[in-house]
């Protein structure tokens, strides 16, 4: 079959969907990957797929430009003639699904990878945009054959809001992580904390920086690192926002990179105090490399950590509870080592990309060259708290 993947951010085709694309190609399918940023043709080709650029603004809602985007998507889909369209992130999910249906594609799949700024922001403007977004989500998901969710909170919110029927929903363990690429590495012998993210307010960057400043006052030997790009998101922070913490030695800003593995290997604890996620890929990568995780008790993040076993969950938008757990890890290196091992065990059990991709492809009925859509809503539902004895709980 010919499968067209629509992405809202081209690098994610390699970083988040690379193993997924490679697996589909290995099963004999032809894959065309579409994204708004140019310059990734060779990297997509290395996966066995063809890259087509479709430029669009991935932030903001403008009715005229979005209608024009739908028309351009229709033109692209009709030119490519795919059997299956798979979209992820907001605009590909909404407008890609509409365009696919209008183009006559019968098998249309969407993946909700998180709710993002529109659903997190406060104020009158955000309220209006959120309600508009819900209306167009409803239309887009109406056009989808099945909708994949990366955590039960997002799925529940969409169902309660009437945006999608329960029968269409498939719950999966995020994007998974390649356990061979992100191989376990020994922990360093000193406390080095790392946060990887786009430099956005709702990733909890400011809380991380302030907590680091408090901890450094008592543990000057501790190092705190921040890795990731600045962004155009309305919630983005600037270099000037973080500069005071860089200048006083609280944090080392490492810029951005295409390969996070050396930085994960050099850290002793991974930190992500985000306000909400789908399933945070960086947390899965840190777990695969055997790192304790301190993250927030919010949708998406709370699925990755069993509190006290492989790390800690702290309240979002708070500083002192985060600082308290950072201090605890510094003072309990032996317990932190046990948490590191637990992270790897949980990752192998739940988040191995081969298992995740198998669930997605089975739900899409793409395990073979031919097949019809089937209905197996149980795929990916075995999730939730990790039980070391090997048992599982049906909590999703």
């Amino acid at each position: 079959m010919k499968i067209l993947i629509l992405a809202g951010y081209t690098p994610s085709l390699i970083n988040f969907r690379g193993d997924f694309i490679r697996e589909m190609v290995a099963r004999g399918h032809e894959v065309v990957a579409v994204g708004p940023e140019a310059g990734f043709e060779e990297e997509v080709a290395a996966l066995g797929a063809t890259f087509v650029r479709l430029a669009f603004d991935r932030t903001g809602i403008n009715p005229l430009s979005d209608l024009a985007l739908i028309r351009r998507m229709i033109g692209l889909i009709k030119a490519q003639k795919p059997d299956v369209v798979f979209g992820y992130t907001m605009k590909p999910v909404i407008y890609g699904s509409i365009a696919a249906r209008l183009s006559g594609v019968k098998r249309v799949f969407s993946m909700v990878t998180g709710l993002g700024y529109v659903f997190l922001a406060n104020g009158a403007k955000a309220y209006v945009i959120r309600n508009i977004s819900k209306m167009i989500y409803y239309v887009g998901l109406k056009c989808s054959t099945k909708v994949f969710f990366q955590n039960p909170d997002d799925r529940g919110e969409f169902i309660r809001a009437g945006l999608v029927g329960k029968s269409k929903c498939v719950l999966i363990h995020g994007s998974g992580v390649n356990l061979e690429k992100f191989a376990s590495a020994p922990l360093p012998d000193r406390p080095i904390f790392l946060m990887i993210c786009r430099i956005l307010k709702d990733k909890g960057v400011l809380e991380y920086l302030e907590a680091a400043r408090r901890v450094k006052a008592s543990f000057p030997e501790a190092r705190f690192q921040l890795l990731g790009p600045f962004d155009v998101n309305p919630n983005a922070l600037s270099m000037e926002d973080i500069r005071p913490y860089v200048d006083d030695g609280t944090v080392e800003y490492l810029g951005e990179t295409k390969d996070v593995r050396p930085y994960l290997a050099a850290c002793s604890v991974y930190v992500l105090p985000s306000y909400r996620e789908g399933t945070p890929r960086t947390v899965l990568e840190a777990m695969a490399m055997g790192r304790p995780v301190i993250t927030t008790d919010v949708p998406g993040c709370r699925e990755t950590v069993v509190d006290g076993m492989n790390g800690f969950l702290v309240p979002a938008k708070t500083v002192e509870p985060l600082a308290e757990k950072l201090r605890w890890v510094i003072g309990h290196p032996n317990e932190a080592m046990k948490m590191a091992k637990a992270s790897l065990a949980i990752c192998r059990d739940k988040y191995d990309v081969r298992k995740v991709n198998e669930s997605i492809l089975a739900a899409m009925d793409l395990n073979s060259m031919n097949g019809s859509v089937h209905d197996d809503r149980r795929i990916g539902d075995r999730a939730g708290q990790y039980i070391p004895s090997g048992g599982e709980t049906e909590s999703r």
Side-chain angles (χ1 to χ4, degrees):
M1 289 189 178
K2 187 173 184 179
I3 302 156
L4 189 144
I5 298 181
L6 285 167
Y9 182 53
T10 304
S12 69
L13 289 166
I14 295 94
N15 299 332
F16 294 173
R17 307 283 165 248
D19 289 295
F20 183 52
I21 292 171
R22 196 178 286 112
E23 182 62 28
M24 288 189 289
V25 171
R27 297 186 188 208
H29 303 292
E30 179 185 355
V31 179
V32 177
V34 181
E37 292 86 8
F40 297 88
E41 290 80 1
E42 291 185 8
E43 290 168 281
V44 172
L47 300 173
T50 301
F51 177 70
V52 177
R53 187 190 181 202
L54 181 68
F56 61 88
D57 178 10
R58 59 188 169 90
T59 62
I61 298 174
N62 182 308
L64 293 179
S65 63
D66 288 348
L67 283 173
L69 175 58
I70 293 174
R71 287 196 295 269
R72 289 189 292 124
M73 284 181 169
I74 290 172
L76 172 64
I77 292 168
K78 286 186 174 180
Q80 291 293 331
K81 298 181 174 61
D83 302 293
V84 177
V85 171
F86 177 94
Y88 65 97
T89 68
M90 186 174 179
K91 288 192 177 183
V93 163
I94 295 170
Y95 303 133
S97 297
I98 294 171
R101 285 297 186 190
L102 292 176
S103 302
V105 179
K106 298 190 184 323
R107 301 177 66 172
V108 182
F109 299 92
S110 297
M111 181 181 289
V112 177
T113 56
L115 301 190
Y117 170 77
V118 168
F119 285 81
L120 288 171
N122 297 313
K125 182 179 178 181
Y127 175 81
V128 172
I129 294 175
R130 185 157 49 248
N131 281 283
I132 293 172
S133 299
K134 287 182 177 181
M135 286 189 290
I136 58 177
Y137 254 125
Y138 173 81
V139 177
L141 297 182
K142 196 80 173 172
C143 298
S144 297
T145 307
K146 288 184 180 177
V147 183
F148 295 94
F149 289 91
Q150 295 191 343
N151 68 67
D153 296 276
D154 288 354
R155 180 185 64 173
E157 186 162 336
F158 270 59
I159 292 172
R160 287 190 298 272
L163 305 181
V164 64
K166 187 176 181 180
S167 62
K168 280 189 178 183
C169 297
V170 181
L171 196 57
I172 58 172
H173 295 312
S175 302
V177 62
N178 187 317
L179 294 170
E180 294 178 1
K181 181 179 179 180
F182 290 88
S184 177
L187 292 172
D189 58 4
R190 62 176 297 186
I192 303 175
F193 298 92
L194 174 67
M195 179 179 181
I196 304 173
C197 66
R198 288 179 294 146
I199 311 302
L200 305 176
K201 183 179 179 182
D202 60 19
K203 294 296 182 182
V205 171
L206 295 178
E207 287 83 356
Y208 173 65
L209 297 178
E210 185 56 38
R213 177 176 279 171
R214 296 184 187 185
V215 173
K216 286 278 282 188
S218 303
F219 298 93
E221 75 281 9
R223 294 173 61 186
F224 294 88
Q225 299 177 332
L226 177 63
L227 174 66
F230 292 94
D231 201 84
V232 297
N233 188 290
N235 204 31
L237 297 170
S238 68
M239 186 64 205
E240 294 310 306
D241 292 314
I242 71 169
R243 190 178 300 281
Y245 299 92
V246 175
D247 289 347
D248 71 5
T250 294
V251 70
E252 304 163 38
Y253 176 59
L254 305 176
E256 57 181 304
T257 182
K258 288 187 175 181
D259 187 359
V260 301
R261 289 173 295 176
Y263 301 94
L264 286 168
C267 82
S268 57
V269 180
Y270 185 72
V271 186
L272 184 69
S274 178
Y275 298 177
R276 185 167 189 148
E277 297 285 333
T279 296
R281 177 62 177 268
T282 59
V283 168
L284 304 189
E285 292 167 349
M287 291 170 64
M289 295 188 71
R291 294 308 183 260
V293 174
I294 301 175
T295 189
T296 38
D297 190 8
V298 298
C301 295
R302 66 168 66 105
E303 278 70 47
T304 63
V305 169
V306 180
D307 193 44
M309 179 183 291
N310 69 309
F312 294 108
L313 297 173
V314 299
K317 304 180 184 180
T318 62
V319 173
E320 188 51 38
L322 175 58
E324 178 186 334
K325 296 307 181 185
L326 297 173
R327 295 187 194 101
W328 188 95
V329 172
I330 294 172
H332 297 79
N334 292 334
E335 287 83 351
M337 180 73 74
K338 294 177 183 177
M339 289 180 169
K341 293 178 180 178
S343 275
L344 179 57
I346 293 171
C347 198
R348 286 172 173 166
D349 183 64
K350 286 176 59 174
Y351 297 111
D352 184 336
V353 72
R354 295 171 300 180
K355 296 179 181 180
V356 174
N357 286 341
E358 187 67 35
S359 294
I360 297 172
L361 292 170
M364 295 172 67
D365 200 22
L366 292 177
N367 283 323
S368 60
M369 289 285 289
N370 299 300
S372 57
V373 176
H374 63 185
D375 186 12
D376 187 357
R377 293 184 295 276
R378 294 171 298 169
I379 292 171
D381 272 5
R382 292 168 58 193
Q385 183 169 346
Y386 175 75
I387 307 298
S389 63
E392 294 175 300
T393 58
E394 292 274 343
S395 63
R396 286 196 173 193

